[in-house]
Amino acid sequence: MKKWFVAFMAAMASLFAGCSVEETAIVCGREWNPALDVVADTMSEFELRDPLIVQFRYGKSFDFSMLKTTFYEGTIAHKGEKIWDHEVAVSDKQWVYTLQGKSRHHMGVMTARELCRKKEPGPVVIEVSGDGKVLLSKQILLTKNR
């Protein structure tokens, strides 16, 4: 009886693990693994010179056709002036979108200063919308280089 119960619990655990869906998230980090399509080193505070990659994970196939990423001055509670935005067509075969660019000043990924288009430290809000509907916002903090 005990072996049957253990086998039953193992089967249920694998069933629930197979059905789990990753949560919707905006992930910011310094490193990106293209083989796994994952941003690593997730954090919310970056020096202006740190590399910055922003990834939007939806957790299921995109159920919209246009994805827009917008950067704002300020905090989520007090969102300020729009800095810039980027809109891209997506398909229902995608569940993740990574925003990164090549640095103009050195080889490698854009720095936080370049991607956020800010010269001074301070809070920045990253907002992701699908077909005009806001899906998620994340606040990051840009700090002075040490």
Side-chain angles (χ1 to χ4, degrees):
M1 183 70 162
K2 187 175 181 181
K3 289 181 183 178
W4 179 83
F5 180 75
V6 171
F8 175 75
M9 293 305 288
M12 292 302 288
S14 65
L15 176 67
F16 287 122
C19 294
S20 68
V21 175
E22 187 174 325
E23 288 188 36
T24 301
I26 297 173
V27 181
C28 299
R30 295 183 191 144
E31 298 175 16
W32 179 59
N33 183 335
L36 299 175
D37 204 20
V38 173
V39 171
D41 196 18
T42 303
M43 53 194 312
S44 296
E45 187 174 314
F46 297 87
E47 289 184 15
L48 289 168
R49 67 177 172 205
D50 284 341
L52 177 60
I53 302 164
V54 176
Q55 186 174 63
F56 175 64
R57 298 178 187 163
Y58 197 52
K60 58 182 178 175
S61 298
F62 289 158
D63 52 4
F64 42 85
S65 60
M66 296 301 290
L67 182 71
K68 184 175 183 179
T69 307
T70 309
F71 289 74
Y72 293 95
E73 297 269 355
T75 64
I76 290 176
H78 299 288
K79 189 167 54 173
E81 185 178 324
K82 179 171 88 170
I83 302 170
W84 76 284
D85 62 16
H86 176 74
E87 193 165 14
V88 64
V90 294
S91 75
D92 59 357
K93 294 180 176 147
Q94 292 176 263
W95 66 275
V96 64
Y97 179 77
T98 305
L99 181 63
Q100 67 178 353
K102 291 184 182 179
S103 177
R104 295 181 190 147
H105 304 289
H106 59 84
M107 296 203 40
V109 176
M110 279 184 167
T111 63
R113 174 192 306 258
E114 292 172 311
L115 188 64
C116 293
R117 297 184 183 170
K118 286 199 42 111
K119 294 179 181 176
E120 298 297 322
V124 173
V125 175
I126 303 168
E127 184 177 88
V128 177
S129 307
D131 287 340
K133 178 184 168 196
V134 175
L135 302 170
L136 204 57
S137 297
K138 180 176 180 116
Q139 179 180 317
I140 62 172
L141 179 63
L142 303 182
T143 63
K144 286 185 176 185
N145 301 331
R146 293 183 191 127

